[in-house]
Amino acid sequence: MNRKRASFIAAGTAALLATGAIAVVASAANAAGSVTASFTTNSWETGQTATYTITNGTSNAITSWTVEFDLPAGTALGAYWDALMTQSGTHVVAKNREYNGAVAAGGTTSFGFNTTGAGAPTNCTVNGAPCAGGTQPPPPTTAPPTTTPPTTTPPTTNPPPPPPGGGGNQIVGYFAEWGVYGRNYHVKNIHTSGSAAKLTHLLYAFGNTTGGRCAIGDSYADYDKAYSAADSVDGVADTWDAGALRGSFNQLRKLKKMYPHLKVIWSFGGWTWSGGFTQAAANPAAFAESCYSLVEDPRWADVFDGIDVDWEYPNACGLQCDTSGPNAFTNVVSALRSRFGPSALVTAAITADGSNGGKIDATDYAGAAPHLNWLMPMTYDYFGAFNAQGPTAPHSPLTSYPGIPQQGFNSDAAIQKLKSKGIPANKLLLGIGFYGRGWTGVTQEAPGGTATGAAPGTYEAGIEDYKVLKNTCPANRTIAGTAYAKCGSNWWSYDTPATIGGKMTYAKSQGLGGAFFWELSGDTPDGELIGAMRNGLG
């Protein structure tokens, strides 16, 4: 089936805190002959995402570390990663995890956390000694600004205009047309799970791209399948009257009537059906005309509020390779915007390869951004059992971490690279996967282990829904802002409500337009994950 998947190939170096980030250094990092810890933060008026980097400046390896510090009064610890952290009053203690306690002579490791309140820590010690390696340093002189918020977040007094269709707390989710078969997930489930009330936009995936045109993906699922009263959104059965609309399109029509705030966008392409974009790029105007005629077909014109382009990947390789050049993507979305007009939603799911010379660099996404309501970097599927022997690694890391198999393959690297190219932060949405990726034949609990192949999955080896994994292999470890677990010889990584909360805090700290996810049927029947997204974005 047509599965969202990013296939990353290019190598490079991550941009960990790139242009626009505010770095506050709270203690000196390298006092010769000492174990030291330095503090950096991306801060905003009401919170921060912070990192401590521990440097072993001694001539001997260390096997464990403990960092302690005091937060300003009223500042509370939130989500954290790559450490075990506790807070008592204003005092915080962070201890290494099992995988990052050993630091070689001259080596470094790090951990991160979020806080409410943006003050820098004081009284920092590492293994009982001052973090600076000498006498306790004075309070930092470069505290987060109190009158003018950092440029990485929207100012509260004069915020930048949101992208058309809203900004800041958008929650955009994919509905897979093939889910009505084996998965038995239907439009009605979006209502009964409580997800419809939390969504701002629904992406219907996928329409096909073939012969340089937009085409129907599955006519039976889309507009022919008849729903009984029991399975229908509004309890009314479909009819076989001449000209009557059935299938998911009619169910979406009913869902929109029930939830007038909800916008529905038809997504074209995906991993399997992106090959047609190459021919579309040869004549963007003809492609746009075909898409407009299909999306605005009188039988379902009221169902859709726009079009989404999921081209995997322009001027790069996915299932197929495209060599249309760096301007092809801009030409296609510009033509779509011209044909659909300024009031329609025109959006795009894009690569999240933040490596130097990688897929983001292969295409002029900044040139396309003015024509789009938002861009959705697919910040998941970085690692998985498509590399059957491993190394094991979380498929959706928020940040880099020591030992990550490929630099630039993390959410923050992608976001920072896209922002550095001039794409407005509020036109970027952070991606969340409602599923895990896993290996089997794994003996090592910590990331970086070898494997013998893909772990068994309900529908596809190496992939499993969150609603299944939360029971069969509950996550009991975190790294780089996401979760993982080893159950028997199987090793899985996936996001949980807790790690999603941390990612939503990150999205807000970066001034992003919100978040999106793939896809609805992976969530629990009561919508645990989308609930965490809504609670996190507010």
Side-chain angles (χ1 to χ4, degrees):
M1 275 301 188
N2 197 349
R3 179 80 192 182
K4 295 275 290 187
R5 200 195 108 191
S7 177
F8 296 105
I9 298 173
T13 302
L16 293 179
L17 290 174
T19 304
I22 303 299
V24 179
V25 180
S27 57
N30 290 300
S34 303
V35 178
T36 60
S38 61
F39 170 81
T40 58
T41 179
N42 282 314
S43 60
W44 61 102
E45 278 203 334
T46 59
Q48 63 187 340
T49 296
T51 300
Y52 263 107
T53 299
I54 299 158
T55 301
N56 182 6
T58 73
S59 57
N60 298 309
I62 61 173
T63 58
S64 64
W65 47 263
T66 299
V67 175
E68 300 188 44
F69 53 86
D70 294 319
L71 290 172
T75 301
L77 180 68
Y80 54 86
W81 48 94
D82 299 338
L84 295 170
M85 301 186 67
T86 57
Q87 181 175 8
S88 177
T90 61
H91 191 68
V92 176
V93 177
K95 296 180 179 291
N96 64 272
R97 303 303 298 259
E98 70 281 358
Y99 55 81
N100 64 353
V103 184
T108 63
T109 191
S110 62
F111 66 94
F113 55 95
N114 296 319
T115 69
T116 57
T122 57
N123 304 322
C124 178
T125 64
V126 54
N127 290 350
C131 285
T135 58
Q136 184 66 36
T141 58
T142 53
T146 57
T147 55
T148 303
T151 57
T152 52
T153 54
T156 56
T157 55
N158 186 24
N169 62 353
Q170 295 181 81
I171 295 183
V172 181
Y174 279 92
F175 176 90
E177 69 180 355
W178 59 90
V180 302
Y181 299 119
R183 288 179 169 271
N184 197 31
Y185 190 92
H186 306 274
V187 174
K188 181 179 179 179
N189 296 101
I190 308 174
H191 163 62
T192 58
S193 65
S195 300
K198 301 177 179 71
L199 283 166
T200 59
H201 301 79
L202 179 67
L203 292 160
Y204 186 83
F206 288 106
N208 200 351
T209 62
T210 180
R213 301 176 60 83
C214 282
I216 285 287
D218 180 340
S219 61
Y220 177 74
D222 291 347
Y223 58 83
D224 194 33
K225 175 179 168 63
Y227 278 89
S228 67
D231 294 331
S232 181
V233 168
D234 61 357
V236 178
D238 286 340
T239 73
W240 291 95
D241 295 344
L245 185 67
R246 293 181 294 275
S248 293
F249 286 2
N250 187 45
Q251 295 299 304
L252 289 170
R253 175 184 283 164
K254 294 180 176 185
L255 189 71
K256 288 183 69 176
K257 184 176 181 180
M258 190 176 294
Y259 298 92
H261 76 280
L262 183 63
K263 303 296 183 184
V264 179
I265 306 169
W266 196 347
S267 182
F268 287 82
W271 180 251
T272 305
W273 286 339
S274 281
F277 282 117
T278 298
Q279 191 170 348
N283 192 341
F287 176 71
E289 183 62 40
S290 75
C291 298
Y292 183 83
S293 297
L294 183 59
V295 175
E296 296 298 325
D297 186 296
R299 291 172 289 177
W300 50 71
D302 60 323
V303 173
F304 297 107
D305 299 285
I307 185 171
D308 175 65
V309 175
D310 188 347
W311 184 352
E312 301 182 23
Y313 301 94
N315 204 37
C317 293
L319 185 60
Q320 303 88 12
C321 290
D322 175 75
T323 57
S324 300
N327 298 320
F329 181 72
T330 297
N331 294 338
V332 168
V333 298
S334 174
L336 289 170
R337 172 57 71 196
S338 295
R339 185 63 188 92
F340 277 79
S343 61
L345 292 166
V346 181
T347 66
I350 66 171
T351 177
D353 176 359
S355 64
N356 288 342
K359 291 182 175 65
I360 289 177
D361 291 332
T363 293
D364 182 18
Y365 288 108
H371 307 291
L372 296 165
N373 292 78
W374 62 75
L375 300 89
M376 297 176 286
M378 294 178 283
T379 47
Y380 39 75
D381 290 337
Y382 284 109
F383 308 106
F386 39 87
N387 294 320
Q389 279 70 54
T392 57
H395 82 85
S396 185
L398 177 61
T399 60
S400 187
Y401 63 91
I404 192 169
Q406 173 62 59
Q407 292 299 321
F409 281 19
N410 64 83
S411 303
D412 183 64
I415 294 297
Q416 299 306 335
K417 180 178 279 283
L418 292 164
K419 288 169 66 174
S420 73
K421 291 179 179 293
I423 299 175
N426 61 9
K427 279 200 171 186
L428 295 172
L429 306 186
L430 185 68
I432 303 293
F434 280 12
Y435 61 93
R437 283 192 174 271
W439 289 263
T440 195
V442 180
T443 59
Q444 175 178 312
E445 182 176 50
T450 59
T452 59
T458 303
Y459 306 102
E460 180 181 348
I463 296 175
E464 188 58 272
D465 292 344
Y466 166 76
K467 66 176 182 281
V468 175
L469 288 172
K470 66 166 292 191
N471 296 314
T472 61
C473 191
N476 54 10
R477 299 286 188 271
T478 59
I479 187 170
T482 188
Y484 70 93
K486 180 178 178 292
C487 302
S489 66
N490 295 331
W491 193 99
W492 290 97
S493 74
Y494 56 96
D495 273 311
T496 65
T499 63
I500 285 175
K503 288 185 173 184
M504 296 305 99
T505 299
Y506 170 86
K508 291 194 294 185
S509 77
Q510 294 295 314
L512 305 187
F516 76 100
F517 62 88
W518 179 269
E519 46 85 15
L520 280 155
S521 71
D523 205 353
T524 60
D526 58 351
E528 280 184 23
L529 299 185
I530 193 173
M533 293 178 72
R534 171 50 64 207
N535 291 337
L537 290 178

